[in-house]
Amino acid sequence: MKNCFKSLRATRSNRSIFVSMFLAATLAAPSAFAWPWSDNKKDEAEKQALIQDSLRREQYKNLQREVDALIRMRMEKADALEKLEAEHWRKRYAESKLTEDHQNETRELDGRYSKLSTDLGRVNEEVMASKDVTTDAEEKAKSDESAYEALHTQVKLSLEKTMGDVTGDYPVGMNKRLLNLKAAQEEADRKNPNTMSVARMFLEDQLARHEMTYTQSVGKEFSQVGTRPDVSVNRLRLGTVFLGEVATDNGDVQALIRSGALQGKVFEWTTELPQEMANGIRKAVSEAGAVTSETAQITIPLDVLQNKAVKNSITDTKEMTWQEELQGFFKKGGIVMYPLMLVAIIALLLSLERFLVLTFRGRISRRLIKKIDKFVAEKKFDEAANYCLKKGNALAMVLFSVVNKAKEDRDTAEKSLQEALLREQPKLERRMGLLAAMGSIAPLLGLLGTVTGIITLFTVITEVGTNDARVLAGGISEALVTTETGLIIAIPVMILHGLLSEKIEKVTSELYVQSTSLLNKLFPKSEK
């Protein structure tokens, strides 16, 4: 605005000066062209003064007009400025009002945001708590499910083991037991089995079997086991220790004896009884059927342990071949004899394999050494290398590593030799550690069988009791069969391991000697 005023004022001032100069020039023009002979100089001076005075008045009027115009313009500008200022303050007020409204809305939104944030935090906490509860519930459910599955698996395994043991267990009531266990097994194999029902059926079978162990019975029944099934007999049962039957038609006697008690409960029927023992059983069954008092006692003509020694004493003996004796010896050792035989077979195969490897791959051929020396003396290094590759044993491969570097320096040949020795030595020593392990495992397995047999012996003694030292000695001697077998296997294995180890050391030493000799022939000390 100020610049506008200045430019307007400068324009009007320039215009006034131009008008004044034009008027002065016009008035002064007659005097410039005045004649020199003009006499009235005083009049000219006065006229000149009047002209100057008129010019000044004209300038003053012009200036007055300009001032008036400027004042009017100033007033107009002032009015416009006031209007602009009023408009500015109006806008300022509107802006302040908008700012205040914005601040109010902002405060309201901040409050709502704070409340929503608080609610969101609370909801998040509730969600996390719900997740924790859900996770705990899922973990507990998984744990319960795993426990249930483990219980089902355990019950199923116990059921399968019992099913397998029934055929060698006490034969009385075996058919009923097999039917009950088969029903339990079918229930366990269903898609959605009732584990508790299976466990109940299994425990009922075990309880019935346990009850039979501690009960006795005597009376007339139909024989369902033995050599004469479905025959009316008088039966006497004392737990699971003794069962004797006397046929009612012809008086034949058959008894159930338990053989192999130290290796497990294996029940066998026999009718091949000595006459004295058959008469004793017939008498015992008859007396038991006539007993009316609970305190009455009868004599049973059988050893309650019924081990193999007793069985052999009551049956006809016959001379056995060496195959039968070997089978009997193997059976005495029990289940541990199977891993012992496996260890023996593995050790034998390892020894044979190592022997063949050391015989062929570890062979030190003097002919090969002489042939290589001849090629080296004639500087035929390629022929010597091809000859070594053709042989392919450990010595040939070691000598090949030296001959192959014959055209290079000694350091390169030595490095190649070291690499060849490092390759061949593990091939010769392979599986020797496993062979030594077999020799160590065999006596340990024998000791395991002995401990297992002694535990079984004392379990039987705890159940039925005995004061016969011969029975204890017989049981311990059977338990020591596995230790004897383990030592019989371990001693030859360790001897073979020692012989093979000595052979490996001899071959390795010869490889070092022959390779070093060839290296010195190719690279004498003076050329190094």
Side-chain angles (χ1 to χ4, degrees), residues 158-167 174-188 198 201-206:
S158 301
L159 187 62
E160 292 176 355
K161 183 178 182 301
T162 305
M163 285 283 290
D165 294 340
V166 165
T167 55
M174 182 185 295
N175 294 337
K176 184 178 179 181
R177 288 190 63 194
L178 287 173
L179 291 175
N180 293 335
L181 292 174
K182 184 63 176 178
Q185 192 174 34
E186 290 176 355
E187 177 65 26
V198 176
M201 297 170 68
F202 173 73
L203 293 176
E204 288 177 354
D205 174 78
Q206 295 298 305

Side-chain angles (χ1 to χ4, degrees), residues 119-139:
D119 294 340
L120 181 60
R122 180 174 54 79
V123 170
N124 286 332
E125 292 178 357
E126 293 177 356
V127 170
M128 293 302 295
S130 299
K131 286 183 178 180
D132 294 339
V133 172
T134 304
T135 303
D136 294 339
E138 289 179 353
E139 291 179 355

Side-chain angles (χ1 to χ4, degrees), residues 8-20 54-72:
L8 182 61
R9 189 180 297 121
T11 304
R12 289 184 177 272
S13 177
N14 293 331
R15 188 185 299 171
S16 299
I17 293 171
F18 178 75
V19 172
S20 299
S54 177
L55 289 173
R56 289 189 184 93
R57 282 196 299 272
E58 188 64 30
Q59 290 178 354
Y60 176 75
K61 289 179 181 179
N62 291 334
L63 290 174
Q64 188 66 33
R65 284 194 298 270
E66 290 179 0
V67 169
D68 292 340
L70 290 174
I71 290 172
R72 284 194 302 273

Side-chain angles (χ1 to χ4, degrees), residues 109-356:
L109 291 175
D110 288 340
R112 292 175 62 186
Y113 175 76
S114 178
K115 184 175 181 301
L116 290 175
S117 298
T118 304
D119 294 340
L120 181 60
R122 180 174 54 79
V123 170
N124 286 332
E125 292 178 357
E126 293 177 356
V127 170
M128 293 302 295
S130 299
K131 286 183 178 180
D132 294 339
V133 172
T134 304
T135 303
D136 294 339
E138 289 179 353
E139 291 179 355
K140 185 177 180 181
K142 289 180 180 179
S143 178
D144 294 341
E145 185 179 358
S146 299
Y148 184 79
E149 291 178 355
L151 175 63
H152 179 73
T153 303
Q154 186 65 32
V155 171
K156 191 173 180 180
L157 291 176
S158 301
L159 187 62
E160 292 176 355
K161 183 178 182 301
T162 305
M163 285 283 290
D165 294 340
V166 165
T167 55
D169 200 1
Y170 199 66
V172 176
M174 182 185 295
N175 294 337
K176 184 178 179 181
R177 288 190 63 194
L178 287 173
L179 291 175
N180 293 335
L181 292 174
K182 184 63 176 178
Q185 192 174 34
E186 290 176 355
E187 177 65 26
D189 292 335
R190 290 175 57 185
K191 186 175 182 180
N192 296 316
N194 188 347
T195 303
M196 301 308 297
S197 176
V198 176
R200 179 180 57 79
M201 297 170 68
F202 173 73
L203 293 176
E204 288 177 354
D205 174 78
Q206 295 298 305
L207 182 61
R209 175 64 178 84
H210 186 73
E211 183 180 0
M212 184 176 293
T213 304
Y214 296 97
T215 59
Q216 61 186 15
S217 64
V218 61
K220 184 176 293 186
E221 298 181 13
F222 284 98
S223 178
Q224 297 178 353
V225 291
T227 58
R228 296 187 64 189
D230 299 329
V231 174
S232 178
V233 295
N234 291 316
R235 175 185 294 174
L236 173 61
R237 180 181 63 83
L238 300 178
T240 57
V241 177
F242 174 80
L243 180 66
E245 292 182 350
V246 180
T248 58
D249 53 357
N250 56 4
D252 288 342
V253 177
Q254 58 182 4
L256 179 68
I257 65 172
R258 182 170 58 186
S259 66
L262 299 179
Q263 288 77 34
K265 296 179 180 180
V266 181
F267 298 90
E268 294 181 358
W269 282 95
T270 180
T271 57
E272 299 177 358
L273 297 172
Q275 186 63 35
E276 182 180 356
M277 186 170 291
N279 293 333
I281 293 176
R282 189 180 294 108
K283 181 180 178 181
V285 172
S286 176
E287 290 178 355
V291 166
T292 57
S293 175
E294 295 181 357
T295 59
Q297 296 182 356
I298 61 173
T299 302
I300 304 298
L302 283 179
D303 190 340
V304 294
L305 288 181
Q306 292 295 325
N307 56 20
K308 291 185 176 181
V310 177
K311 179 185 177 183
N312 293 333
S313 68
I314 64 175
T315 57
D316 296 334
T317 58
K318 61 178 181 179
E319 186 177 356
M320 295 187 298
T321 62
W322 68 270
Q323 293 94 342
E324 292 176 345
E325 291 180 355
L326 183 61
Q327 291 178 358
F329 180 80
F330 190 85
K331 290 181 179 179
K332 286 182 181 180
I335 194 172
V336 181
M337 296 294 286
Y338 291 98
L340 281 172
M341 290 299 102
L342 181 62
V343 168
I345 293 171
I346 293 175
L348 179 62
L349 293 177
L350 289 175
S351 301
L352 182 61
E353 186 265 345
R354 287 293 90 194
F355 178 77
L356 294 176

